[in-house]
Amino acid sequence: MNGGDGRGGKGGEVAAGAGKGREAEAALEWRFAQVFGERAAGEEVQEVDIISAIEFDKSGNHLATGDRGGRVVLFERTDTTDHGINRRDLEKMDFSTRRHPEFRYKTEFQSHEPESLEIEEKINKIRWCQTANATLFLLSTNDKTIKFWKVHEKKVKKISDMNVDPKALTGNGSIRNLNNDFSFPPEGIPSLRLPAVTSHETSLNARCRRVYAHAHDYHINSISNNSDGETFISADDLRINLWNLEISNQSFNIVDVKPQNMEDLTEVITSAEFHPTHCNLLAYSSSKGSIRLIDLRRSALCDSHAQLFEEPEIPGSRSFFTEIIASISDIKFSKDGRHILSRDYMTLKLWDINMNSGPVATFQVHEYLRPKLCNLYENDSIFDKFECCLSGDGQRVATGSYSNLFRVFGCAPGSTEATTLEASKNPMRKQVQTPSRPTRSLGSLTRVVRRGSESPDVDANGNSFDFTSKLLHLAWHPTENSIACAAANSLYIMRFTTLPLFNRDGPQAFVLAGHRNLNCDQTKTMSDCRVPVVRLPWH
C-alpha cells in the first residue's frame, strides 16, 4: 500500500504537472458493504448453517454459497451502472458511473442429503457453468456425489375471465367445492365467457438435471469447469476424473497416484483446477507442497507432468511439522492463467507457470503461530484448510486466518501492501496495518520472509487469537474490488476504494496548499493523514 512520500512541493504546494511519469500515490480504504445471515450477540450458530463454499460466477452478477446442511443459496447483483442517464449527461455530473456491486437474496434449494453416517450433506465446492439466456447452471458436490443444477424463472399461470364469482376460485383458478356449493343463478348466465390462461408472476425453480455418482472411493476435495464449456474434473485424495456435463454415468480417470501397496503412499491430492483459457491444461497440488501442471494432450492417463512446482527445502529446517504445514490446501489460477496462487498452512505462494525454480513471491500468513505448532497439532487446527483468491486484475491476493480475519497482499512489482482485516461491519476494528513485507518483482527469486508477532498469545496485530473462529472460505469478485467471505453462518462482502493522496500527472492533479509536511507513511490510510481529503468525482 503506497502512502504519501512526506515531501511537499515548493512553498508547501504540490503543483499540477510536476513529476511527469510518476504514478498517483494512493491509499486503500477498506469498507464493509453488506452482510447476509448476521447473527445477534450471543446467538448460537447451528452446525448446519455454517457456510462451507463460496463462488462468484464469471460475470460477477451472481454469488453462490453452500453450507454444511447441504443447501445452496444464490444471490444476484442489483446495482446498475447507467443510472438511467446517457453518458454525455453523466460526464457533467459529480459522481462516477461505476458503482460497487450490491447483492440481494435470489433463491435457495436443498442440494444434498445425508447419504450415510459417514457421508454427510455438507457442500464441499460450488462451480458456476456457462449460462444460457436467464437460466443459471452450476455444479455442487459433497464428499461423494456431484450434482448439476439448473435454476430458471418459471411463469405462474392462472385461469381468468370465468363465469363465476372470483371469490369462489382457488389460487390456481379452479372452482372451489364445485360438487357441493356451486349452482347456476335462477336468472341464468347472460353471456358465456371462455376461460383464459394468463401469466401473473414468475417463480424461481431449481432442478437437478444430472447426478454424477459412484466414481470416487475417497472424499471429493475439488471440482473445476473446463474452458471448453463441456467438461469438468473432480478430484479426491488419489484420483482425478474427467466428466462430460451431458454424461453422468461415465467418467475417465486421468490422474491416479494410488500405489500398488498403500503402505508406499507418501502424498495425496489436495486440490485441482483447470487452466482458465487452455482446455488441455490443469494443475493439482499435493500434501507435500508441490504443484503439478499436466497436459491432457500427452496421454489418456497423465502419469507424468509437464511442469513441477515445488520449493527446495532449506537444509537443517526439517521438523515433525514440516510436511504437515507444507501441505497445500488450495490453488487458484490467475485470470490470465500466467500464475498459480497456492495456500499452505503458513504462507501464500505465487508461482509463474513458465518458471518452476521456485515461487516468484511468498507471503507470510501464520508465521506468528510457529511457536504454537504443538498446540495446533493437539487441537487439530494445524489441519485447517484455508482457501485463497486473486483479484481480477491480478494485483492482489487474499486468504483467511483465525479470529475471523483475512489478509490481503499486493503482488504487483514493488508493492508493499499487507493488510489484515476482520469479517465484520467494521473491518478495521482493533486491526492495524501489518508491517509491510520486503518488496520484490515477479521476476525475482529472492524468498520473502515477513515475520509476525513473536508472542505466542497474540496474532500479528497484537490481538488474542481465537482458533474456533476461522475464516476458511472467501472469493474475490472477478471485476470489482470486492471480497465475499464467510464467518460461520454469516456472509460478509467487503470492498476497498483507492484514495489518491496526490497525482502529479495530467488533468487529475490538484493542489494541497499550506502543508509542507504531509506526515503520511505507508502503514496509514487516508483517514490517518493530516492532509485535507479531496473527494474527486472520478473516484
Side-chain angles (χ1 to χ4, degrees), residues 57 59 65 161 174 190 209 217 257 274 291 307 340 452 530:
D57 69 349
S59 69
T65 66
D161 295 333
S174 61
R209 294 191 61 186
D217 294 329
V257 300
F274 261 120
I291 302 173
Q307 287 272 32
I340 299 175
R530 294 185 300 188

Side-chain angles (χ1 to χ4, degrees), residues 137 147-150 207-212 246 248:
F137 298 94
K147 294 186 178 181
F148 183 42
W149 291 91
K150 174 183 178 181
R207 183 168 64 92
C208 182
R209 294 191 61 186
R210 288 178 184 84
V211 177
Y212 312 91
E246 301 298 324
S248 60

Side-chain angles (χ1 to χ4, degrees), residues 385-411:
K385 301 181 184 301
F386 293 93
E387 295 180 358
C388 58
C389 59
L390 299 94
S391 60
D393 58 8
Q395 299 298 301
R396 294 176 177 85
V397 295
T399 190
S401 183
Y402 295 106
S403 303
N404 286 337
L405 302 179
F406 66 97
R407 304 194 170 179
V408 181
F409 302 94
C411 57

Side-chain angles (χ1 to χ4, degrees), residues 135-153:
T135 304
L136 305 177
F137 298 94
L138 55 91
L139 291 167
S140 63
T141 183
N142 65 352
D143 288 338
K144 292 290 186 179
T145 305
I146 308 165
K147 294 186 178 181
F148 183 42
W149 291 91
K150 174 183 178 181
V151 181
H152 62 102
E153 290 187 348

Side-chain angles (χ1 to χ4, degrees), residues 355-403:
M355 184 171 60
N356 60 4
S357 56
V360 295
T362 299
F363 310 94
Q364 300 295 335
V365 180
H366 281 163
E367 186 64 30
Y368 65 92
L369 292 177
R370 192 172 292 275
K372 304 286 289 183
L373 290 181
C374 288
N375 294 339
L376 293 167
Y377 180 79
E378 291 176 358
N379 63 23
D380 287 340
S381 294
I382 200 171
F383 301 105
D384 288 334
K385 301 181 184 301
F386 293 93
E387 295 180 358
C388 58
C389 59
L390 299 94
S391 60
D393 58 8
Q395 299 298 301
R396 294 176 177 85
V397 295
T399 190
S401 183
Y402 295 106
S403 303

Side-chain angles (χ1 to χ4, degrees), residues 37-186:
E38 184 182 19
R39 52 179 171 171
E43 180 184 356
E44 184 178 354
V45 178
Q46 300 296 320
E47 180 78 11
V48 295
D49 295 331
I50 295 177
I51 296 173
S52 56
I54 301 178
E55 184 79 3
F56 283 104
D57 69 349
K58 287 186 177 180
S59 69
N61 293 330
H62 294 92
L63 172 64
T65 66
D67 61 28
R68 296 186 181 182
R71 292 164 297 191
V72 172
V73 183
L74 304 185
F75 302 87
E76 65 178 350
R77 187 170 177 175
T78 60
D79 58 303
T80 58
T81 56
D82 57 8
H83 302 278
I85 309 173
N86 63 57
R87 183 171 183 82
R88 179 172 295 181
D89 292 336
L90 282 171
E91 291 174 351
K92 300 177 183 179
M93 304 178 72
D94 290 337
F95 60 84
S96 170
T97 62
R98 189 179 184 86
R99 297 178 59 188
H100 290 283
E102 296 178 1
F103 289 86
R104 69 178 178 187
Y105 170 85
K106 184 178 180 72
T107 188
E108 67 179 90
F109 55 90
Q110 187 70 33
S111 175
H112 287 73
E113 300 284 353
E115 299 180 29
S116 67
L117 293 177
E118 294 81 16
I119 305 173
E120 56 186 4
E121 66 271 32
K122 170 177 163 284
I123 303 297
N124 290 343
K125 296 291 181 181
I126 296 175
R127 290 293 180 265
W128 290 92
C129 302
Q130 293 182 355
T131 60
N133 299 323
T135 304
L136 305 177
F137 298 94
L138 55 91
L139 291 167
S140 63
T141 183
N142 65 352
D143 288 338
K144 292 290 186 179
T145 305
I146 308 165
K147 294 186 178 181
F148 183 42
W149 291 91
K150 174 183 178 181
V151 181
H152 62 102
E153 290 187 348
K154 184 178 181 181
K155 292 184 177 180
V156 179
K157 297 181 179 181
K158 294 184 178 181
I159 300 175
S160 61
D161 295 333
M162 293 189 65
N163 290 285
V164 295
D165 185 355
K167 296 180 180 179
L169 300 178
T170 61
N172 62 1
S174 61
I175 301 175
R176 183 185 295 109
N177 297 326
L178 179 61
N179 296 332
N180 300 328
D181 299 334
F182 179 76
S183 61
F184 286 94

